[in-house]
Amino acid sequence: RQQTNIFTMAKKGSSKAKAAPVKKASKADPLFPARPRSFGVGGDIRPAGRDLSRFVRWPKYVRIQRQRAVLYQRLKVPPAINQFTKSIGKNEAASVFNLLNKYRPETAAAKKQRIKDTAAATAAGKEAPAKVPCQLKFGLKHVTTLVEEKKASLVLIACDVDPIELVLWLPALCRKMEVPFLIVKDKARLGTLVHQKTAAVVALTKVNKEDESQLKIFQDLANEKFSKNTELVRKWGGGIMGLKTQAKLDKRAKAVAIEEAKKAASMR
């Protein structure tokens, strides 16, 4: 049986090309100018210089901390809480932390080695190594005891302790026991000094002889800014309205002033 292949040939096009329909050019509307979009490479990148952070759905913890910051501005804040917003300046804090860095407590490994060396020296009948050097004290209960016994020379309190009630009473105790204290930024920085993540409060009991003059300077600074500053104990914080409310109040005040001026003019 023979298999036949049938090939169909394509029809030749006509020599006369069809004329393309002529589109009428539409006039551009000046009220609604055309803004053609680019769908090429990089066409989906956000335009530079346009801030869209207002439209971002931020995580809950970010929203809460921002709302808290706004509430602290709006609400009237009593002096006992408001004093924690008045921390010492950047340069002063740098000087204080330079001093405290010299008195960082020993790590667990260093303490273990010191005890081991002391035990070995005692067993061999040799002179035991020197005792624990001057070092920072930390922990809320420990520092409170030092303040009550008037053993603390300088107390540093973090400004961002949460909840604030943990250290709310400590400035009043320091004032009563006449122990100089400073409010500093922040708890993570204090924690770094004592090999912890955070520390609400640290205290110095004593320093070496060469640092006594520097400690005296910081004690005077603490007395001037915090311990004996009566204005700090009386001054309330907060009460700052938003921009819209401020504009509304200004507008109302201007209207009242105009009315008063009209009344004064009519009385003449």
Side-chain angles (χ1 to χ4, degrees), residues 88-268:
I88 59 173
K90 189 177 180 181
N91 295 331
E92 295 160 343
S95 303
V96 173
F97 279 95
N98 280 340
L99 174 66
L100 297 183
N101 269 325
K102 297 179 185 177
Y103 299 98
R104 295 180 72 182
E106 55 189 355
T107 59
K111 184 179 179 180
K112 188 177 180 181
Q113 186 62 38
R114 180 175 56 80
I115 293 170
K116 193 175 179 181
D117 293 344
T118 306
T122 308
K126 297 177 183 177
E127 189 180 346
K131 292 184 179 179
V132 183
C134 304
Q135 59 183 21
L136 275 173
K137 310 294 181 184
F138 65 100
L140 206 49
K141 289 183 179 178
H142 189 191
V143 172
T144 305
T145 307
L146 293 173
V147 172
E148 286 172 344
E149 294 173 356
K150 294 190 177 182
K151 288 182 179 178
S153 303
L154 183 66
V155 176
L156 272 74
I157 308 169
C159 68
D160 58 342
V161 178
D162 188 29
I164 195 69
E165 287 83 4
L166 289 173
V167 291
L168 192 61
W169 44 271
L170 195 53
L173 180 65
C174 289
R175 288 189 185 101
K176 185 178 179 182
M177 306 310 291
E178 296 181 352
V179 174
F181 71 94
L182 292 167
I183 294 172
V184 297
K185 292 180 181 178
D186 48 31
K187 61 184 179 182
R189 198 172 179 188
L190 288 181
T192 307
L193 286 173
V194 293
H195 312 293
Q196 303 287 328
K197 283 185 180 177
T198 58
V201 57
V202 300
L204 266 176
T205 50
K206 56 182 179 178
V207 294
N208 298 331
K209 209 164 190 178
E210 63 269 16
D211 293 323
E212 283 178 357
S213 59
Q214 201 171 4
L215 177 64
K216 183 72 172 65
I217 292 169
F218 295 139
Q219 285 174 335
D220 294 340
L221 174 70
N223 287 328
E224 181 191 342
K225 284 205 166 189
F226 296 99
S227 301
K228 296 180 181 177
N229 187 358
T230 53
E231 184 66 24
L232 196 68
V233 186
R234 295 173 185 165
K235 192 172 183 180
W236 283 62
I240 302 167
M241 294 294 106
L243 293 175
K244 287 183 181 178
T245 309
Q246 285 180 18
K248 194 188 294 181
L249 292 174
D250 291 344
K251 190 177 178 182
R252 192 180 297 167
K254 284 178 184 176
V256 170
I258 291 167
E259 287 295 322
E260 291 294 330
K262 284 181 182 178
K263 283 181 184 178
S266 62
M267 292 291 284
R268 291 175 186 173

